[in-house]
Amino acid sequence: MSKKHTTEEQAALAVGVEELKVEEKLTFGERVKKFIVNNMVTILFVILCGVGLRLSGLSMAFYFNDIVNRIARNSFLILALIIPVMAGMGLNFAIVLGAMAGQAAIIFVTHWGVAGPFGILLSAFLAAPAALLLGWMTGRLLNRARGKEMITSLILGFFANGVYQLIFLLMIGTVIPMENEVLVLSSGVGLRTTIDLSDGLRYGLDDVIRTSLPLFVLVISAAALVVVAVLLVRMRSNELVDAKKKKKLISFGVLSVLLLIWAVLTHTSVSLVNSVRVPTFTMMIIALLCLFNIFIVKTKLGQDFRSVGQDQHIAQVSGINVDRTRIIAIMLSTLFASWGHIIFLQNLGAFSTYGSHEQVGMFASAAILIGGASVTKATVGHALLGAVLFHTLFIVSPLAGRNLLGDAQLGEYFRTFVAYGVIGVSLGLHAWRKLIQSRK
C-alpha cells in the first residue's frame, strides 16, 4: 500500500484482532452470557418498556407522537454528557449550570419580546459566553477533585441553584431592572414561578420544518443506507479494518433496510401514524451534535480526550496538558447543555422559573445509563437508545400503573424511583467490574 498507517492505528487493529480471536473461541452460550452481563441494564429496561406498553393500552399513533416529541426535547441534553465521559470525568451532573445559563437567556429574550427562530438564535448566542465561563470554573474545580468528579459536580449543581435563586428571586427588580407585568411579581421584585412561552419562543425551532413520521424515517433510513454502502466500499480497500466493525456496519445496514420498508408501507397506507409530525429542523440540530461527537474523536483534541480518559499519567508524560484538556471537555459539555435546555424549553412551551432546571443532570444521566453507557464509556448510540427507553417508561408508567393497580400515581412513583435507581445500579456495577478486573 502507498499509504503509511500510524502506529496508533496498527495498535488499535492488533487489539481488535485479538478481541475477535478471543470472541471466536467462545461458545454460543458463553457469548449470550457475555452479552447479557454487558447489557443487563438496557435489557431490563427493554423488558420493562415492552410490558409497560402492553399494560398501558396506548395506541401506536399516540405513543409515536409522544416519544418523537420527547426525543426532540431531551436528546441534545443527553448527548452533552458524552465528552466528559470520554475524558475520564464520569457523568457531568454540572450540566445543570449550562441549563441555568440557557434558561436565563430564555428569560431575558422573553422579556425583550423577541419571538420565533430569531429569538431562539439570540438565546443561544447569549447563553454561550455564560455557559463557557461556568464550564471553565467547573473544570478548574473538578481538576482539584480528581477521582470525585461526579459527586463534586452534583453538589456544585446544588450550590449554583442557590445563586440562581438569589439572582432571579431577589436581584430582579432591585439590582437588575426589569419592568414586565407578565414576568415580574406584583411587588416588583423577583420573577413569577411560571413563565409562558406561548406568544414567543414556543416551537421556535420545532415549527421551522415538520414532516410526517413515515416520511422522516424513509429519508433517514435511505441516507443511512447510502452511508453504509460508501463505508463498506472504503473498508474493502483498507487492511486495518477488523471484522467486528464490518459486522456492526452490516447490522446497521440491515436495520436501515427494515426501517425503510416500514416507512414505505406506512407512508403509502391509511394509518394514524401518518398524522405524527416530526420536528425535523430540531432533529437536524441533534444530528449535527451526534456527528460532532463522532468526528471529534478523529481530531487531535478528541485523541487527547481519550488519552486523558484512559490514563492521566501516561497522557501527561506524552506531552498532553491534562488539566487544560479536562477543562475543555467540561466547557463543551456545559455549552451543549445550555443549548440543549433552550431546545427543551421551546418544545415544552412553559416552565417553572425556579425548578425546571433542577433535574436536568439526573434525568440525562439516567437516560444515557439506561442506553448501555457507563461512567467510563458513552457513545451516541447509548444516548439515543437511552432517550427512547427512558422516555418510553415515562410515557407508559402512569397508565400501566392505573390499569394494573388502579392508581396512576404509583406509576409516577415508579418512574421517579427508576431515575435514581438506575444511576445507583450502574455505579454499583461499575465498582463491581473494577473489583473483578483488579483481582484478575
Side-chain angles (χ1 to χ4, degrees):
M1 290 182 65
S2 59
K3 291 183 179 180
K4 293 183 179 180
H5 298 290
T6 63
T7 306
E8 188 175 335
E9 286 176 326
Q10 292 171 351
L13 175 64
V15 171
V17 171
E18 196 65 33
E19 287 179 352
L20 196 62
K21 287 179 180 178
V22 172
E23 193 168 331
E24 286 176 349
K25 293 178 182 178
L26 298 176
T27 64
F28 178 74
E30 289 172 333
R31 289 181 184 180
V32 172
K33 182 180 178 182
K34 181 182 177 183
F35 178 79
I36 292 173
V37 169
N38 291 338
N39 300 278
M40 59 176 65
V41 175
T42 305
I43 293 169
L44 173 63
F45 279 92
V46 168
I47 295 170
L48 282 173
C49 290
V51 172
L53 272 170
R54 179 71 177 173
L55 292 173
S56 66
L58 288 174
S59 67
M60 283 296 99
F62 181 88
Y63 167 71
F64 280 134
N65 185 64
D66 211 347
I67 196 66
V68 162
N69 274 316
R70 286 177 176 270
I71 291 171
R73 184 188 304 162
N74 294 278
S75 294
F76 207 98
L77 280 166
I78 301 169
L79 289 164
L81 293 170
I82 292 177
I83 290 179
V85 173
M86 190 191 306
M89 304 179 76
L91 300 170
N92 179 24
F93 292 102
I95 62 170
V96 173
L97 277 71
M100 291 177 193
Q103 192 160 296
I106 285 275
I107 290 169
F108 285 110
V109 169
T110 301
H111 169 61
W112 295 328
V114 185
F118 183 72
I120 298 295
L121 184 63
L122 180 58
S123 299
F125 179 77
L126 291 175
L132 289 171
L133 176 61
L134 291 170
W136 177 77
M137 295 169 66
T138 302
R140 286 181 59 87
L141 175 64
L142 296 185
N143 279 340
R144 296 174 179 269
R146 277 184 169 80
K148 302 178 181 63
E149 289 94 346
M150 285 192 291
I151 187 63
T152 304
S153 61
L154 181 64
I155 300 303
L156 180 61
F158 294 141
F159 169 76
N161 186 46
V163 177
Y164 174 90
Q165 307 276 0
L166 174 68
I167 293 172
F168 289 100
L169 194 58
L170 294 177
M171 295 178 69
I172 291 291
T174 54
V175 179
I176 304 172
M178 182 181 285
E179 295 182 4
N180 190 313
E181 294 181 357
V182 177
L183 298 181
V184 181
L185 293 168
S186 57
S187 62
V189 178
L191 293 179
R192 296 184 184 276
T193 55
T194 304
I195 293 178
D196 186 8
L197 304 178
S198 298
D199 297 327
L201 300 179
R202 187 180 186 184
Y203 302 144
L205 284 180
D206 293 350
D207 280 345
V208 173
I209 304 174
R210 283 189 184 267
T211 56
S212 68
L213 178 60
L215 180 60
F216 177 79
V217 174
L218 191 152
V219 173
I220 294 298
S221 54
L225 278 175
V226 172
V227 172
V228 167
V230 171
L231 290 177
L232 284 174
V233 169
R234 290 181 62 186
M235 283 181 174
R236 290 181 62 184
S237 60
N238 188 349
E239 63 184 27
L240 291 179
V241 177
D242 60 66
K244 197 171 181 180
K245 286 184 179 179
K246 286 185 179 179
K247 284 182 179 179
K248 286 183 178 179
L249 202 56
I250 291 170
S251 300
F252 185 69
V254 171
L255 177 61
S256 299
V257 169
L258 294 175
L259 287 173
L260 183 64
I261 294 171
W262 175 87
V264 171
L265 293 175
T266 308
H267 185 61
T268 55
S269 65
V270 179
S271 172
L272 288 175
V273 176
N274 281 302
S275 65
V276 177
R277 311 300 291 176
V278 179
T280 307
F281 189 74
T282 305
M283 292 294 191
M284 289 167 62
I285 293 173
I286 292 169
L288 287 176
L289 181 56
C290 291
L291 292 174
F292 177 85
N293 281 327
I294 291 169
F295 288 112
I296 194 174
V297 180
K298 304 180 186 299
T299 65
K300 172 63 167 63
L301 179 60
Q303 292 300 322
D304 288 350
F305 287 151
R306 293 182 65 178
S307 300
V308 171
Q310 289 169 1
D311 193 305
Q312 293 184 38
H313 177 68
I314 293 177
Q316 190 78 51
V317 171
S318 302
I320 298 172
N321 189 331
V322 173
D323 287 357
R324 179 176 172 272
T325 302
R326 283 161 57 94
I327 290 173
I328 291 173
I330 293 297
M331 288 176 69
L332 287 174
S333 179
T334 310
L335 174 65
F336 293 149
S338 70
W339 291 345
H341 199 59
I342 290 171
I343 293 173
F344 176 89
L345 294 180
Q346 64 86 35
N347 179 274
L348 208 59
F351 63 94
S352 168
T353 309
Y354 304 105
S356 67
H357 57 276
E358 290 183 345
Q359 299 298 324
V360 164
M362 199 66 68
F363 286 168
S365 299
I368 200 169
L369 290 172
I370 288 172
S374 68
V375 295
T376 56
K377 182 181 179 182
T379 64
V380 168
H382 292 148
L384 298 180
L385 177 59
V388 173
L389 293 177
F390 185 66
H391 290 286
T392 294
L393 204 63
F394 260 52
I395 294 167
V396 303
S397 289
L399 288 172
R402 186 188 65 188
N403 293 339
L404 183 64
L405 302 169
D407 188 356
Q409 192 63 38
L410 290 176
E412 296 282 351
Y413 293 146
F414 175 72
R415 68 186 189 182
T416 303
F417 162 76
V418 162
Y420 292 98
V422 70
I423 295 174
V425 169
S426 298
L427 294 179
L429 287 172
H430 173 67
W432 174 66
R433 285 171 185 157
K434 284 186 69 175
L435 181 63
I436 296 298
Q437 289 173 358
S438 64
R439 284 179 178 175
K440 288 181 179 181

